[in-house]
Amino acid sequence: MDMSYTPEQIAFRDEVRRFIAGAMPPEIRHKAENGGHYEHAETMQWHRILHQKGWSAPHWPKEVGGAGWDSAQRHIFSEEMVRANAPSLSPFGLTMVGPLIIQFGTDEQKQRFLPKILSGEEVWCQGYSEPNSGSDLASLQLRAEKEGDDYILNGQKTWTSHAQYADWIFVLARTSAAGKQQEGISFLLADLKNTPGVEVKPFMTIGGTLAFSETWFDNARVPQANRVGPENQGWTMAKALLGHERTSIGGVAESSRLLNMVRRIARDTRVGGKTLMEDATFRRRLARLEIRLRTVGMANLRTLASAQLGHAPGPESSILKIAGTEVQQEITELAMDAMGHNAMGWYDSPTDAMPEYQLWMASNFNYLRASTIYGGSNEIQKNIISKMILGLPPS
């Protein structure tokens, strides 16, 4: 792959850079410059700003409202977003269910849902995992029984990320007990805010935030028209969406932000009369992570290039998920080592007590311990690689 930019791509990069610099509101710019944490409202504010420019969905085709950019343009845009430390948009609508509706949805579903995903008017969350069906997703028990034109949903989902902010949820539900477990599942879209019988209960994570929720369905009525794809063939939808999710979970942009923060910490931290950045041992750890992150970045580019040719994410997304999440965790470990006692800060500390980036580092370190588990644990990804890429028999 030729990684040098053409004059047209350099002009595009400059356009993106100018736009970000001019469009970023003062409060977001302050957090960007000081490594602060973006709340949901700020992320959605940035989403709407990008939508007004037509840039909220770089990977969607133009005919459904996306930017229609090629893989190089998307890579440049991502680079510039990281460079500016701009907020990362929520992936559940734009990166996960949106592409699935584009691929498998009816014309009515595309007209109903895609514009409001693009604009950020409706926020989405994912209802896959259940208390006894995490990595073994096919064992899920949320029931969806037909009654008239609706399904009646009963059961529970868990680890529903940011459900307290969401207007809609996409769920996998059991619509048949016949055949293999994977054959009786359907993919449904449910109005989270206006459906009687749906209750969201956020719970505290080890990072000290309400990032996850339990979501309960008690005779909740969902129109059959909200089923994506054929009944009992939701497993096909699930696999397609998980491929998109694992690609995004690779987290190249977020890891790049974190690594930039580590460099800043190392430059600002003095040990024994010199900065930490001047320490040879620290520089070797930093260089090793930079090399690993570049490798993950190249794997991500290959996935983007494949998608540009119309290919859905395949088992290579499992490689990206494993490598990306391991790098994420190692970067936060390096950051914590570099900060030393300064890592004792917490997000609810007084904002004038320490630099903003110190407030969230420990919380982020704790939260990212889950990254090798969510989106399909890394052990499950290794099984997929052994079967789909290496051709080994099931374990």
Side-chain angles (χ1 to χ4, degrees):
M1 182 181 293
D2 183 1
M3 295 302 296
S4 58
Y5 290 143
T6 65
E8 292 78 14
Q9 290 166 342
I10 291 173
F12 174 74
R13 182 198 64 192
D14 294 342
E15 179 189 0
V16 172
R17 190 172 295 183
R18 283 194 303 272
F19 171 76
I20 294 175
M24 195 174 279
E27 63 276 15
I28 291 180
R29 182 187 306 281
H30 173 80
K31 288 196 172 183
E33 292 173 350
N34 294 281
H37 172 79
Y38 297 112
E39 300 295 342
H40 174 73
E42 293 163 328
T43 298
M44 294 312 300
Q45 181 183 7
W46 186 238
H47 182 137
R48 291 188 289 272
I49 290 170
L50 291 179
H51 172 65
Q52 289 171 1
K53 180 67 174 175
W55 289 359
S56 61
H59 52 299
W60 288 21
K62 277 189 173 180
E63 52 267 30
V64 292
W69 289 339
D70 61 28
S71 56
Q73 288 174 304
R74 289 157 57 185
H75 177 66
I76 290 169
F77 180 72
S78 178
E79 277 191 331
E80 292 304 312
M81 290 281 283
V82 170
R83 179 179 178 275
N85 200 23
S88 296
L89 305 191
S90 173
F92 301 107
L94 292 169
T95 307
M96 294 164 68
V97 75
L100 195 80
I101 292 174
I102 293 172
Q103 186 176 1
F104 295 103
T106 63
D107 289 340
E108 291 75 15
Q109 289 169 344
K110 292 175 185 176
Q111 292 168 10
R112 163 62 185 84
F113 294 111
L114 295 182
K116 293 187 178 181
I117 293 174
L118 277 173
S119 67
E121 183 178 347
E122 291 179 343
V123 178
W124 286 75
C125 63
Q126 180 192 51
Y128 270 22
S129 296
E130 298 183 7
N132 296 307
S133 300
S135 295
D136 184 16
L137 186 58
S139 66
L140 62 88
Q141 295 298 314
L142 175 71
R143 300 192 315 278
E145 298 171 324
K146 282 184 177 177
E147 184 177 293
D149 293 331
D150 300 330
Y151 288 107
I152 307 299
L153 271 60
N154 280 285
Q156 180 191 359
K157 295 292 180 180
T158 192
W159 308 113
T160 321
S161 302
H162 296 164
Q164 67 270 39
Y165 305 122
D167 302 290
W168 283 79
I169 183 172
F170 52 91
V171 301
L172 293 175
R174 185 157 300 286
T175 43
S176 172
K180 296 180 180 177
Q181 287 182 322
Q182 291 88 343
E183 295 173 351
I185 293 172
S186 296
F187 190 100
L188 306 176
L189 313 177
D191 186 334
L192 202 54
K193 293 286 179 64
N194 300 298
T195 303
V198 178
E199 185 177 10
V200 174
K201 299 179 180 178
F203 58 87
M204 191 72 75
T205 70
I206 194 173
T209 60
L210 299 174
F212 302 132
S213 297
E214 294 176 317
T215 307
W216 297 82
F217 298 85
D218 181 12
N219 290 318
R221 191 175 286 269
V222 174
Q224 290 186 42
N226 286 5
R227 187 189 67 237
V228 180
E231 187 175 66
N232 298 328
Q233 295 187 31
W235 194 246
T236 299
M237 312 298 126
K239 289 191 294 184
L241 189 141
L242 283 170
H244 293 295
E245 180 184 10
R246 287 164 189 160
T247 302
S248 63
I249 287 177
V252 176
E254 287 306 310
S255 291
S256 298
R257 294 173 204 271
L258 284 168
L259 207 54
N260 287 340
M261 187 58 64
V262 172
R263 294 189 190 96
R264 175 175 179 171
I265 293 167
R267 287 193 296 269
D268 293 346
T269 302
R270 297 195 69 81
V271 179
K274 60 183 181 182
T275 68
L276 191 56
M277 189 60 89
E278 295 175 277
D279 180 84
T281 301
F282 180 85
R283 286 205 309 273
R284 278 195 293 272
R285 291 182 67 186
L286 183 63
R288 177 176 174 274
L289 276 172
E290 287 182 338
I291 292 169
R292 291 195 65 194
L293 180 56
R294 286 188 178 226
T295 303
V296 176
M298 288 300 297
N300 194 43
L301 280 175
R302 290 181 62 182
T303 304
L304 290 175
S306 177
Q308 191 69 31
L309 297 174
H311 302 152
E316 69 276 9
S317 62
S318 295
I319 299 174
L320 196 56
K321 198 271 179 176
I322 293 172
T325 53
E326 289 179 350
V327 167
Q328 278 181 340
Q329 292 186 344
E330 288 188 40
I331 292 174
T332 54
E333 290 168 10
L334 182 61
M336 294 288 282
D337 288 346
M339 290 173 68
H341 67 273
N342 288 332
M344 296 299 290
W346 200 243
Y347 65 90
D348 55 0
S349 302
T351 53
D352 58 352
M354 60 189 70
E356 286 196 43
Y357 69 84
Q358 292 185 8
L359 297 175
W360 283 93
M361 190 57 75
S363 172
N364 201 26
F365 169 86
N366 283 300
Y367 175 79
L368 285 176
R369 297 313 95 188
S371 67
T372 49
I373 300 173
Y374 58 54
S377 71
N378 284 13
E379 287 76 11
I380 293 294
Q381 305 316 310
K382 290 175 183 176
N383 282 339
I384 293 173
I385 292 168
S386 70
K387 180 180 178 182
M388 303 296 292
I389 297 179
L390 302 177
L392 298 176
S395 58

